[in-house]
Short mmCIF file of all heavy atoms in Angstrom, two decimals:
data_model
loop_
_atom_site.label_atom_id
_atom_site.label_comp_id
_atom_site.label_asym_id
_atom_site.label_seq_id
_atom_site.Cartn_x
_atom_site.Cartn_y
_atom_site.Cartn_z
N LEU W 398 74.64 64.90 152.03
CA LEU W 398 74.71 66.05 151.05
C LEU W 398 73.77 67.11 151.37
O LEU W 398 74.19 68.30 151.37
CB LEU W 398 74.50 65.47 149.66
CG LEU W 398 75.53 64.60 149.01
CD1 LEU W 398 75.09 64.08 147.75
CD2 LEU W 398 76.86 65.37 148.86
N MET W 399 72.57 66.78 151.87
CA MET W 399 71.62 67.83 152.24
C MET W 399 72.15 68.52 153.50
O MET W 399 72.03 69.78 153.60
CB MET W 399 70.26 67.18 152.53
CG MET W 399 69.51 66.81 151.27
SD MET W 399 67.81 66.45 151.55
CE MET W 399 67.94 64.79 152.33
N VAL W 400 72.62 67.83 154.53
CA VAL W 400 73.15 68.46 155.75
C VAL W 400 74.38 69.41 155.38
O VAL W 400 74.52 70.53 155.78
CB VAL W 400 73.58 67.50 156.78
CG1 VAL W 400 74.13 68.23 158.08
CG2 VAL W 400 72.32 66.65 157.11
N CYS W 401 75.26 68.88 154.54
CA CYS W 401 76.47 69.57 154.08
C CYS W 401 76.11 70.90 153.43
O CYS W 401 76.62 71.86 153.83
CB CYS W 401 77.24 68.60 153.13
SG CYS W 401 78.81 69.41 152.55
N ALA W 402 75.16 70.82 152.58
CA ALA W 402 74.79 71.92 151.75
C ALA W 402 74.07 72.97 152.70
O ALA W 402 74.35 74.16 152.60
CB ALA W 402 73.84 71.60 150.59
N THR W 403 73.20 72.54 153.56
CA THR W 403 72.50 73.41 154.49
C THR W 403 73.56 74.20 155.30
O THR W 403 73.36 75.41 155.59
CB THR W 403 71.52 72.68 155.41
OG1 THR W 403 70.55 72.00 154.57
CG2 THR W 403 70.77 73.57 156.26
N THR W 404 74.47 73.42 155.84
CA THR W 404 75.52 74.04 156.67
C THR W 404 76.38 75.09 155.85
O THR W 404 76.58 76.25 156.37
CB THR W 404 76.53 72.99 157.20
OG1 THR W 404 75.71 72.01 157.93
CG2 THR W 404 77.56 73.51 158.08
N TYR W 405 76.71 74.76 154.70
CA TYR W 405 77.45 75.57 153.81
C TYR W 405 76.67 76.83 153.38
O TYR W 405 77.18 77.93 153.52
CB TYR W 405 77.83 74.83 152.59
CG TYR W 405 78.64 75.64 151.54
CD1 TYR W 405 80.07 75.67 151.69
CD2 TYR W 405 78.05 76.24 150.49
CE1 TYR W 405 80.81 76.36 150.73
CE2 TYR W 405 78.80 76.88 149.54
CZ TYR W 405 80.18 76.98 149.77
OH TYR W 405 80.92 77.73 148.77
N PHE W 406 75.42 76.65 153.01
CA PHE W 406 74.70 77.83 152.54
C PHE W 406 74.33 78.83 153.65
O PHE W 406 74.07 80.06 153.46
CB PHE W 406 73.40 77.40 151.74
CG PHE W 406 73.70 76.84 150.45
CD1 PHE W 406 73.18 75.58 150.10
CD2 PHE W 406 74.49 77.53 149.52
CE1 PHE W 406 73.42 75.10 148.77
CE2 PHE W 406 74.72 77.03 148.22
CZ PHE W 406 74.23 75.82 147.88
N ALA W 407 74.21 78.23 154.89
CA ALA W 407 74.01 79.16 156.10
C ALA W 407 75.24 80.05 156.32
O ALA W 407 75.01 81.18 156.43
CB ALA W 407 73.75 78.36 157.29
N GLY W 408 76.45 79.40 156.29
CA GLY W 408 77.59 80.26 156.54
C GLY W 408 77.89 81.18 155.36
O GLY W 408 78.40 82.29 155.51
N SER W 409 77.60 80.73 154.09
CA SER W 409 77.97 81.49 152.89
C SER W 409 76.99 82.71 152.81
O SER W 409 77.16 83.62 151.91
CB SER W 409 77.91 80.77 151.69
OG SER W 409 76.49 80.20 151.43
N ALA W 410 76.05 82.88 153.64
CA ALA W 410 75.13 84.05 153.72
C ALA W 410 76.03 85.28 154.05
O ALA W 410 75.56 86.42 153.73
CB ALA W 410 73.97 83.94 154.69
N PHE W 411 77.15 84.98 154.63
CA PHE W 411 78.10 86.14 155.02
C PHE W 411 79.38 86.04 154.27
O PHE W 411 80.37 86.74 154.62
CB PHE W 411 78.36 86.11 156.49
CG PHE W 411 77.09 86.05 157.24
CD1 PHE W 411 76.58 84.83 157.80
CD2 PHE W 411 76.29 87.14 157.61
CE1 PHE W 411 75.35 84.63 158.45
CE2 PHE W 411 75.19 87.03 158.28
CZ PHE W 411 74.60 85.87 158.73
N VAL W 412 79.44 85.33 153.19
CA VAL W 412 80.79 85.11 152.38
C VAL W 412 80.44 85.16 150.90
O VAL W 412 79.40 84.45 150.41
CB VAL W 412 81.45 83.78 152.76
CG1 VAL W 412 82.88 83.83 152.13
CG2 VAL W 412 81.50 83.64 154.31
N GLY W 413 81.16 85.83 150.12
CA GLY W 413 80.92 86.02 148.68
C GLY W 413 81.57 84.72 147.92
O GLY W 413 82.67 84.82 147.44
N VAL W 414 80.84 83.54 147.99
CA VAL W 414 81.50 82.45 147.42
C VAL W 414 80.49 81.82 146.27
O VAL W 414 80.48 80.60 146.05
CB VAL W 414 81.66 81.29 148.49
CG1 VAL W 414 82.78 81.74 149.38
CG2 VAL W 414 80.44 81.06 149.29
N ALA W 415 79.84 82.71 145.65
CA ALA W 415 78.90 82.20 144.59
C ALA W 415 79.51 81.32 143.56
O ALA W 415 78.74 80.48 143.03
CB ALA W 415 78.12 83.32 144.05
N PHE W 416 80.73 81.56 143.23
CA PHE W 416 81.43 80.78 142.15
C PHE W 416 82.62 80.03 142.67
O PHE W 416 83.40 79.59 141.87
CB PHE W 416 81.74 81.67 141.07
CG PHE W 416 80.51 82.28 140.41
CD1 PHE W 416 80.04 83.60 140.81
CD2 PHE W 416 79.74 81.60 139.39
CE1 PHE W 416 78.87 84.07 140.18
CE2 PHE W 416 78.59 82.17 138.93
CZ PHE W 416 78.19 83.31 139.35
N GLN W 417 82.76 79.79 144.02
CA GLN W 417 83.73 78.82 144.51
C GLN W 417 83.10 77.44 144.22
O GLN W 417 81.85 77.32 144.17
CB GLN W 417 83.90 79.07 146.02
CG GLN W 417 84.61 80.36 146.36
CD GLN W 417 86.06 80.54 145.77
OE1 GLN W 417 86.71 79.58 145.72
NE2 GLN W 417 86.31 81.76 145.32
N SER W 418 83.98 76.46 144.13
CA SER W 418 83.58 75.18 143.55
C SER W 418 82.79 74.27 144.48
O SER W 418 82.15 73.38 144.01
CB SER W 418 84.80 74.47 142.87
OG SER W 418 85.79 74.30 144.01
N PHE W 419 82.97 74.45 145.81
CA PHE W 419 82.50 73.47 146.73
C PHE W 419 80.92 73.08 146.53
O PHE W 419 80.65 71.90 146.39
CB PHE W 419 82.67 74.00 148.19
CG PHE W 419 82.34 73.02 149.22
CD1 PHE W 419 83.29 72.03 149.58
CD2 PHE W 419 81.17 72.88 149.86
CE1 PHE W 419 83.02 71.00 150.56
CE2 PHE W 419 80.88 71.94 150.82
CZ PHE W 419 81.77 70.96 151.18
N HIS W 420 80.08 74.07 146.44
CA HIS W 420 78.67 73.75 146.33
C HIS W 420 78.38 73.22 144.98
O HIS W 420 77.42 72.51 144.84
CB HIS W 420 77.83 74.90 146.75
CG HIS W 420 78.12 76.19 146.00
ND1 HIS W 420 79.22 76.95 146.19
CD2 HIS W 420 77.45 76.86 145.00
CE1 HIS W 420 79.23 78.05 145.47
NE2 HIS W 420 78.16 77.90 144.65
N TYR W 421 79.14 73.59 144.02
CA TYR W 421 78.84 73.02 142.64
C TYR W 421 79.14 71.51 142.63
O TYR W 421 78.60 70.71 141.98
CB TYR W 421 79.61 73.77 141.53
CG TYR W 421 79.10 75.13 141.36
CD1 TYR W 421 79.76 76.29 141.91
CD2 TYR W 421 77.89 75.41 140.70
CE1 TYR W 421 79.26 77.58 141.70
CE2 TYR W 421 77.38 76.64 140.39
CZ TYR W 421 78.08 77.77 141.01
OH TYR W 421 77.58 79.02 140.84
N PHE W 422 80.30 71.17 143.36
CA PHE W 422 80.53 69.80 143.51
C PHE W 422 79.43 68.97 144.14
O PHE W 422 79.11 67.88 143.82
CB PHE W 422 81.94 69.55 144.31
CG PHE W 422 83.15 69.98 143.68
CD1 PHE W 422 84.22 70.36 144.45
CD2 PHE W 422 83.15 70.21 142.28
CE1 PHE W 422 85.44 70.76 143.79
CE2 PHE W 422 84.29 70.64 141.66
CZ PHE W 422 85.42 70.91 142.49
#
Side-chain angles (χ1 to χ4, degrees):
L398 290 173
M399 284 191 285
V400 180
C401 178
T403 302
T404 301
Y405 179 87
F406 286 129
S409 62
F411 309 96
V412 191
V414 290
F416 296 96
Q417 297 296 324
S418 56
F419 186 85
H420 54 288
Y421 290 103
F422 292 159

